[in-house]
Amino acid sequence: MITIPNAVEEVIKMKPFLESALVEGLVNLSALARQLKPEIEKKVGKEVNDSAVIMALNRLVPRLELMSAMKFKKVVQNIGDIIVRSNLADYAFNNSPTLYERQAELLERVRAMKDLFCTFSQGIYETTLVVSSSIAPIVEEIFARETLIAKTVDLSSITVKLPQDNTVCPGVYYYIFKELAWDNINIAEVISTTNEFTVVVSDEDIHRAFTILMEAKKTAGV
């Protein structure tokens, strides 16, 4: 049978923002214990009292702090270049048999142009293009017969170079996205490769987003 400490840990792990708040010491443990008690009782299959949940939380928090510090410090402090691009537009199209041809045509049209941003992200049902606004008219011409789902303009991107060991450190993206979310910055798109990722945000949020990422890198290096 699962123990109360194990049940508490399982519940906290399913609530990443709550886990972060515990590490930062922002949560009243007594109030949290009362809120979590129904879930804990369901997991352990019996009634539990508040004090048992509080005790489990008190024992869990130091472990969370240690794991958080060890997990992210090495990766975040070794973040490489942070590159900002502005004047971007985002297009989302339904996938279709002709979409690949349109993508190839666009790449052929713009391949000789310098300093362009042009990416494709294909999902099961739709494909997103994030491009420099300067080639937006070309995109709209080439994809005119495709089904446009959404278009967003006045966007900027931040590309972050990660160290190679980021792939064996769970939660790296969460750590960075959490910092942006806590400052109420909406992420319009995420573009990822093995050792770098790009977040696309509105122009009005780009300065705050860049400052947050630089501060996270600086703090991890202390």
Side-chain angles (χ1 to χ4, degrees):
M1 181 178 293
I2 187 171
T3 65
I4 293 175
N6 288 339
V8 169
E9 185 170 352
E10 285 185 8
V11 171
I12 296 300
K13 283 183 177 179
M14 292 188 294
K15 305 175 188 293
F17 276 92
L18 180 55
E19 181 178 333
S20 299
L22 282 170
V23 171
E24 298 293 332
L26 302 177
V27 177
N28 181 296
L29 296 187
S30 297
L32 178 60
R34 290 193 295 272
Q35 181 180 344
L36 296 181
K37 191 167 73 166
E39 289 184 75
I40 304 304
E41 290 178 335
K42 186 175 180 180
K43 284 184 174 293
V44 301
K46 62 180 182 181
E47 292 186 2
V48 300
N49 56 49
D50 292 356
S51 60
V53 180
I54 293 171
M55 184 179 298
L57 287 169
N58 275 319
R59 291 176 178 172
L60 178 62
V61 169
R63 288 180 52 214
L64 292 176
E65 291 173 344
L66 180 60
M67 290 168 60
S68 178
M70 293 174 61
K71 185 185 295 182
F72 302 120
K73 184 172 182 179
K74 182 180 178 181
V75 172
V76 176
Q77 72 184 7
N78 289 321
I79 284 177
D81 295 338
I82 299 178
I83 302 168
V84 176
R85 298 290 297 264
S86 58
N87 298 317
L88 302 180
D90 181 311
Y91 295 85
F93 296 97
N94 279 335
N95 287 343
S96 73
T98 57
L99 200 61
Y100 286 121
E101 298 173 17
R102 304 290 177 257
Q103 293 178 39
E105 183 179 350
L106 175 62
L107 291 174
E108 179 63 26
R109 290 272 296 273
V110 305
R111 66 187 178 94
M113 300 180 183
K114 297 185 180 298
D115 298 322
L116 284 183
F117 191 98
C118 182
T119 68
F120 301 90
S121 298
Q122 182 175 340
I124 297 174
Y125 301 110
E126 61 189 48
T127 294
T128 295
L129 283 67
V130 181
V131 300
S132 296
S133 297
S134 59
I135 63 170
I138 299 176
V139 171
E140 293 175 12
E141 173 194 337
I142 294 174
F143 290 82
R145 294 189 178 183
E146 300 295 331
T147 302
L148 179 67
I149 302 171
K151 172 186 174 182
T152 310
V153 296
D154 298 326
L155 299 173
S156 296
S157 70
I158 302 177
T159 299
V160 178
K161 178 70 173 176
L162 295 172
Q164 291 187 356
D165 56 358
N166 84 89
T167 56
V168 296
C169 181
V172 173
Y173 285 5
Y174 161 71
Y175 174 84
I176 295 172
F177 294 160
K178 178 202 70 176
E179 296 295 317
L180 297 175
W182 275 29
D183 207 63
N184 201 34
I185 293 175
N186 181 56
I187 298 175
E189 297 287 350
V190 177
I191 305 159
S192 173
T193 61
T194 301
N195 294 315
E196 68 180 54
F197 76 93
T198 298
V199 293
V200 180
V201 301
S202 68
D203 284 344
E204 63 185 21
D205 290 332
I206 189 64
H207 177 72
R208 285 191 298 136
F210 178 78
T211 301
I212 288 167
L213 292 178
M214 288 300 295
E215 188 62 31
K217 178 179 178 181
K218 185 191 304 182
T219 301
V222 175

